[in-house]
């Protein structure tokens, strides 16, 4: 029997781990995508998914159901990602992301299941996009990823970032402006 | 003619065009060209891949996560409900003793004081209602469409015997409110226990409707809260 997010969250709040398991199994993919796009590192993304669910479990009593459970998880995950990025920045670790086996983000897109054309295209985009994304502020980067890749609307982004809708909208706008400035010349030359 | 702003173009790209923007794009070649440039770039950026995760990824995450989840720290009163199977066994014994000694001795002479019997009854009742609530919540919140009830059927069967014992005990002690609620629950559990493993969307909707019409889930929640308070008082 399929539980809705609200019902599963209610069960989890009462201490029923099965309820929480339903939520973990349902939202893991989306959180991994978000974490990977935020950090550009597969290993970090895996850890962040774990950390997000751990925080969510401990704070489940704070989930009031006003926003969707997915939105609430995105908020926690975004905060986890930003904490990690800030901590790496402080430690001076913000070099091109590489996983344990030494593969960079660029290499990682060469995953099974992609056609050669798709691989080439994706690698090319990653090579240009990664440095451009790093020039965005934390809020711009998060807002853009949520809007562009996760399909969140402005109200959801505002809720996730804990800001007013206008600020969320402006962050997406500034992110796109900066990306256009960075990418348009490079993209034009590559084409 | 006033051209569209960058923000207008972006909103249009994300499917939220401002008023008259779509019309303007049809009429204005400059804005159309600008929109095409923006859309081309953003479409390309969207193609950025993420490393794939298999269909079992959610289960893998759960397997890694579960050992790290903090153990539940229930309230002292709730902890007592973990002894529910013992409480139910004691209740059964008390019930039997009550039957055997009904005409001959007082409850105290049967080995348990009235207060003890009441405390055991409330403990068993509270545990039973909590588990009933989980089952009912699953029924009510399930998505529409055909549903697999195999797990719920087994749990309904488990709850059914316990429910009968509690209902009879409540009725014998003159506790009509609990007896009535348990009777309503018993009917739902009976239906569920005897239903096919897969329920058609129509039958599932009827069952859900019955639970909702009777306000059963609400009654169970309220009664759980009451029994918990009474248990604390005792």
């Amino acid at each position: 029997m399929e539980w809705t997010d609200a019902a599963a969250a209610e069960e989890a709040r009462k201490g029923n781990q099965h309820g929480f398991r339903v939520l973990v199994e349902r939202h893991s993919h989306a959180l991994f995508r978000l974490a990977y796009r935020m950090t550009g590192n597969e290993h970090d993304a895996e850890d962040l998914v774990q950390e997000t669910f751990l925080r969510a479990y401990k704070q489940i009593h704070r989930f009031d159901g006003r926003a969707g459970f997915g939105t609430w998880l995105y908020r926690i995950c975004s905060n986890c990602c930003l904490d990690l990025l800030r901590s790496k920045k402080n430690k001076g670790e913000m070099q091109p992301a590489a996983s344990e086996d030494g593969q960079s983000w660029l290499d990682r897109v060469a995953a099974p299941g992609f056609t050669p054309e798709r691989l080439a295209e994706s690698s090319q985009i990653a090579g240009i996009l990664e440095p451009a994304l790093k020039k965005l502020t934390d809020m711009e980067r998060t807002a853009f990823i949520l809007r562009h890749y996760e399909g969140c609307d402005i109200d959801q982004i505002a809720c996730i970032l804990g800001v007013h809708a206008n600020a969320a909208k402006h962050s997406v706008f500034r992110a796109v402006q900066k990306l256009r400035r960075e990418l348009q010349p490079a993209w034009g030359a590559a084409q | 003619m006033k051209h569209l702003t960058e923000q207008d173009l972006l909103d249009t790209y994300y499917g939220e065009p401002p008023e008259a923007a779509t019309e303007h794009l049809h009429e204005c070649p400059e804005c159309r060209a600008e929109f095409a440039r923006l859309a081309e770039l953003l479409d390309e950026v969207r193609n950025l891949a993420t490393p794939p995760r298999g269909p079992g990824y959610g289960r893998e995450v759960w397997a890694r996560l579960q050992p790290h989840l903090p153990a539940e720290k229930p309230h002292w009163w709730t902890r007592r409900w973990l002894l529910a199977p013992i409480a139910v066994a004691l209740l059964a014994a008390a019930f039997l003793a009550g039957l055997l000694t009904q005409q001959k001795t007082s409850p105290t002479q049967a080995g348990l004081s009235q207060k003890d019997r009441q405390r055991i009854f409330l403990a068993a009742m509270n545990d039973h209602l909590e588990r009933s609530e989980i089952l009912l919540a699953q029924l009510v919140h399930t998505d529409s469409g055909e549903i697999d009830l195999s797990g719920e059927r087994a749990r309904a069967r488990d709850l059914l015997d316990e429910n009968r014992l509690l209902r009879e005990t409540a009725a014998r002690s003159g506790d009509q409110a609990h007896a009535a609620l348990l009777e309503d629950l018993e009917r739902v559990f009976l239906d569920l226990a005897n239903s096919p493993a897969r329920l058609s969307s129509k039958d599932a909707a009827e069952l859900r409707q019955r639970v909702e019409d009777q306000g059963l889930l609400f009654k169970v929640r309220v009664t759980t809260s009451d029994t918990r308070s009474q248990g604390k008082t005792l």
Side-chain angles (χ1 to χ4, degrees), chain A residues 3 42 46 148-149 180, chain B residues 14 34 45-46 53 138:
Chain A
W3 266 349
E42 192 172 358
E46 289 277 10
H148 195 68
Y149 295 107
R180 286 187 84 182
Chain B
Y14 286 122
E34 185 59 20
V45 167
R46 200 186 293 277
R53 287 294 176 272
Q138 275 182 293

Side-chain angles (χ1 to χ4, degrees), chain A residues 48-68:
Chain A
L48 286 163
V49 171
Q50 183 106 348
E51 177 63 19
T52 299
F53 282 122
L54 209 51
R55 284 195 202 180
Y57 188 81
K58 287 176 185 169
Q59 298 172 9
I60 191 84
H61 59 281
R62 291 190 192 168
F63 174 65
D64 56 14
R66 273 182 296 180

Side-chain angles (χ1 to χ4, degrees), chain A residues 25-118:
Chain A
E25 293 190 1
R26 190 172 293 161
H27 292 281
S28 287
H29 280 92
L31 289 187
F32 175 78
R33 284 197 309 268
L34 175 65
Y36 181 77
R37 283 176 174 139
M38 291 281 289
T39 61
N41 182 299
E42 192 172 358
H43 183 71
D44 284 345
E46 289 277 10
D47 288 348
L48 286 163
V49 171
Q50 183 106 348
E51 177 63 19
T52 299
F53 282 122
L54 209 51
R55 284 195 202 180
Y57 188 81
K58 287 176 185 169
Q59 298 172 9
I60 191 84
H61 59 281
R62 291 190 192 168
F63 174 65
D64 56 14
R66 273 182 296 180
F69 192 79
T71 303
W72 189 66
L73 279 179
Y74 272 164
R75 182 174 192 161
I76 298 173
C77 187
S78 304
N79 286 331
C80 290
C81 292
L82 294 175
D83 287 348
L84 178 80
L85 292 172
R86 279 181 206 127
S87 133
K88 283 194 166 189
K89 210 177 275 181
N90 290 340
K91 290 179 192 165
E93 289 177 21
M94 289 297 283
Q95 297 307 311
S99 55
E100 272 180 337
D101 52 8
Q103 283 188 300
S104 73
W105 192 14
L106 205 70
D107 302 320
R108 279 278 156 189
V109 296
F114 291 106
T115 63
E117 294 77 18
R118 178 81 177 78

Side-chain angles (χ1 to χ4, degrees), chain B residues 44-232:
Chain B
E44 292 296 346
V45 167
R46 200 186 293 277
N47 287 333
L48 181 69
T50 54
R53 287 294 176 272
Y57 178 60
R59 284 193 297 277
E60 290 166 24
V61 172
W62 174 251
R64 284 197 302 269
L65 183 73
Q66 197 189 17
H68 300 287
L69 292 182
E72 202 185 343
K73 288 179 188 168
H75 191 270
W76 70 271
W77 176 249
T78 317
R79 263 200 301 274
R80 294 173 65 176
W81 302 129
L82 296 176
L83 300 172
I86 298 169
V88 171
L90 277 170
L91 180 73
F95 178 67
L96 201 59
L99 275 180
L100 293 173
T101 60
Q102 192 178 16
Q103 302 301 323
K104 299 171 190 170
T105 58
S106 71
T108 312
Q109 285 168 307
L112 285 168
S113 71
Q114 187 62 38
K115 202 172 173 182
D116 287 338
R117 286 167 67 96
Q118 180 68 3
R119 191 179 289 131
I120 292 168
F121 173 75
L122 288 173
M125 186 75 185
N126 191 75
D127 171 73
H128 178 73
L129 290 177
E130 281 182 350
R131 285 184 291 131
S132 303
E133 186 187 334
I134 292 170
L135 186 59
L136 292 176
Q138 275 182 293
L139 267 181
V140 170
H141 294 303
T142 187
D143 291 335
S144 55
E146 191 181 278
I147 51 173
D148 181 0
L149 278 178
S150 40
E152 285 70 21
R153 275 198 320 173
R155 283 161 61 197
R157 281 182 197 135
D158 289 345
L159 287 169
L160 200 52
D161 292 340
E162 201 175 290
N163 197 88
R164 280 196 189 113
L165 183 62
L166 285 164
R167 178 176 55 72
E168 285 166 12
T169 307
R172 276 174 45 77
S173 62
D175 183 350
Q176 294 309 321
H178 279 140
L181 174 65
L182 290 163
E183 200 174 326
D184 290 344
L185 277 174
E186 203 166 305
R187 286 199 205 99
V188 173
F189 292 156
L190 255 177
D191 283 355
L192 201 50
N194 295 309
S195 67
R198 291 195 73 79
L199 216 54
S200 71
S201 55
K202 184 169 168 274
D203 290 341
E206 274 176 17
L207 190 57
R208 265 196 301 271
Q209 195 61 45
R210 237 179 70 199
V211 173
E212 282 170 359
D213 286 349
Q214 290 181 324
L216 211 44
L217 191 54
F218 178 71
K219 284 184 200 165
V220 167
R221 281 181 178 147
V222 171
T223 311
T224 307
S225 167
D226 285 349
T227 52
R228 193 175 293 139
S229 307
Q230 287 172 34
K232 280 180 189 172

